[in-house]
């Protein structure tokens, strides 16, 4: 008998190509998970259309209508928790989260970041990598902690940086890798292969001394 599918809520703000990769991977691989809802803080996020096409519940929650970050996060938590998810997937969700929010989902919230963390936390990673004339770049999936882009990393994928790259060509190369590693990390979580214990990731019961690299 198969275990119950892991209920997932995905948070987005934009295009949702990582969301699409996850929808496709759950369909085809398969991953023992079900996306119950996709929530966006941007009304016209393309990712909401992607979710609707896949028959997933969607919600737009407008952060500008809340007095402050804490109030917005409370409302967001209530909405998320109405789905009783086992995993929260941040997929291009462009909001800084309160400690209360992060603590509430400790060990069951993942994020993907377009850099080889701990390098290049924050925004505009592709431009900054080019400015620094780096030859390698990539993406990381990590558990979310109270430090922005600072949670324990599960898996990373690298790409070469070419001298004629623009932020756009580099972003596209990185995104291709993101679409591979994010579903992979979600599958490991759904199969109970990864856990967060304190500030350490455990894979198959053993502490990960370094992120898995692809
Ligand atoms: C990705 O580059 C991801 O790493 C970052 O935001 C972007 C989201 O892209 N967190 P998409 O909305 O999944 O296409």
């Amino acid at each position: 008998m198969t275990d119950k599918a892991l209920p997932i809520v995905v948070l987005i703000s934009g295009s949702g190509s990582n969301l699409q990769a996850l929808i496709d991977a759950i369909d085809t691989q398969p991953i023992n998970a079900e996306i119950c809802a996709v929530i966006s803080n941007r009304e016209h996020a393309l990712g909401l259309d992607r979710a609707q096409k896949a028959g997933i519940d969607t919600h737009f929650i407008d952060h500008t209508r809340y007095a402050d970050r804490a109030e917005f996060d409370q409302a967001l938590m209530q909405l998320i928790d109405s789905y009783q998810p086992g995993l929260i997937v941040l997929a291009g969700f462009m909001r800084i989260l309160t400690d209360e929010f992060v603590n509430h989902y400790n060990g069951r919230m993942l994020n993907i970041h377009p850099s080889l963390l701990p390098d290049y936390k924050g925004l505009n990673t592709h431009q900054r990598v080019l400015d620094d004339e780096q030859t390698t770049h990539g993406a990381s999936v990590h558990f979310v902690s109270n430090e922005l882009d600072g949670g324990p990393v599960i898996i990373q994928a690298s790409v070469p940086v070419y001298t004629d790259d623009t932020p756009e060509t580099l972003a596209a190369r990185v995104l291709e890798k993101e679409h591979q590693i994010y579903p992979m990390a979600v599958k490991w979580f759904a199969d109970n292969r990864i856990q967060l214990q304190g500030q350490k990731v455990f894979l198959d019961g053993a502490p990960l001394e370094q992120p898995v690299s692809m």
Side-chain angles (χ1 to χ4, degrees):
M1 206 169 119
T2 53
D3 288 340
K4 185 178 168 291
L6 172 76
I8 297 178
V9 170
V10 181
L11 305 188
I12 61 163
S13 297
S15 147
S17 70
N18 278 289
L19 163 69
Q20 188 67 58
L22 188 57
I23 291 171
D24 295 345
I26 288 172
D27 269 2
T28 56
Q29 285 202 18
I31 299 176
N32 191 21
E34 184 196 0
I35 303 176
C36 311
V38 172
I39 302 172
S40 171
N41 68 317
R42 301 253 178 238
E43 188 172 11
H44 301 295
L46 176 61
L48 290 176
D49 298 339
R50 296 181 193 267
Q52 277 157 14
K53 281 202 185 96
I56 300 168
D57 276 11
T58 58
H59 297 271
F60 158 54
I61 173 163
D62 185 357
H63 61 269
T64 65
R65 295 188 54 190
Y66 293 85
D68 54 26
R69 199 177 288 285
E71 228 180 71
F72 172 72
D73 278 10
Q74 276 299 334
L76 183 56
M77 264 193 270
Q78 262 185 27
L79 178 57
I80 293 171
D81 289 348
S82 69
Y83 286 93
Q84 299 188 289
L87 180 67
I88 318 301
V89 168
L90 305 183
F93 186 59
M94 301 302 285
R95 295 277 308 166
I96 291 175
L97 302 165
T98 55
D99 285 350
E100 200 185 343
F101 188 95
V102 171
N103 294 340
H104 183 63
Y105 299 111
N106 183 43
R108 54 187 178 116
M109 181 156 61
L110 302 181
N111 183 42
I112 189 154
H113 183 74
S115 80
L116 295 172
L117 290 171
D119 296 339
Y120 299 100
K121 296 173 180 173
L123 297 174
N124 302 321
T125 58
H126 310 302
Q127 182 65 61
R128 287 157 58 209
V129 161
L130 290 174
D131 291 346
D132 290 348
E133 300 181 358
Q134 301 284 3
T135 54
T136 308
H137 184 34
S140 309
V141 177
H142 63 94
F143 279 103
V144 176
S145 74
N146 296 109
E147 189 198 338
L148 183 66
D149 301 328
V153 179
I154 301 160
I155 183 169
Q156 298 187 314
S158 306
V159 299
V161 181
Y162 301 123
T163 46
D164 60 351
D165 264 328
T166 63
E168 291 73 28
T169 59
L170 188 52
R173 196 172 309 121
V174 170
L175 213 45
E176 227 175 89
K177 295 288 185 187
E178 293 185 29
H179 299 162
Q180 296 166 11
I181 62 174
Y182 215 176
M184 201 175 283
V186 169
K187 181 169 173 52
W188 289 346
F189 191 92
D191 290 344
N192 280 317
R193 292 186 59 196
I194 49 170
Q195 285 99 26
L196 181 68
Q197 290 184 25
Q199 280 303 297
K200 251 200 180 338
V201 178
F202 280 67
L203 174 62
D204 297 331
L208 262 191
E209 297 311 334
Q210 290 191 345
V212 175
S213 85
M214 258 192 55

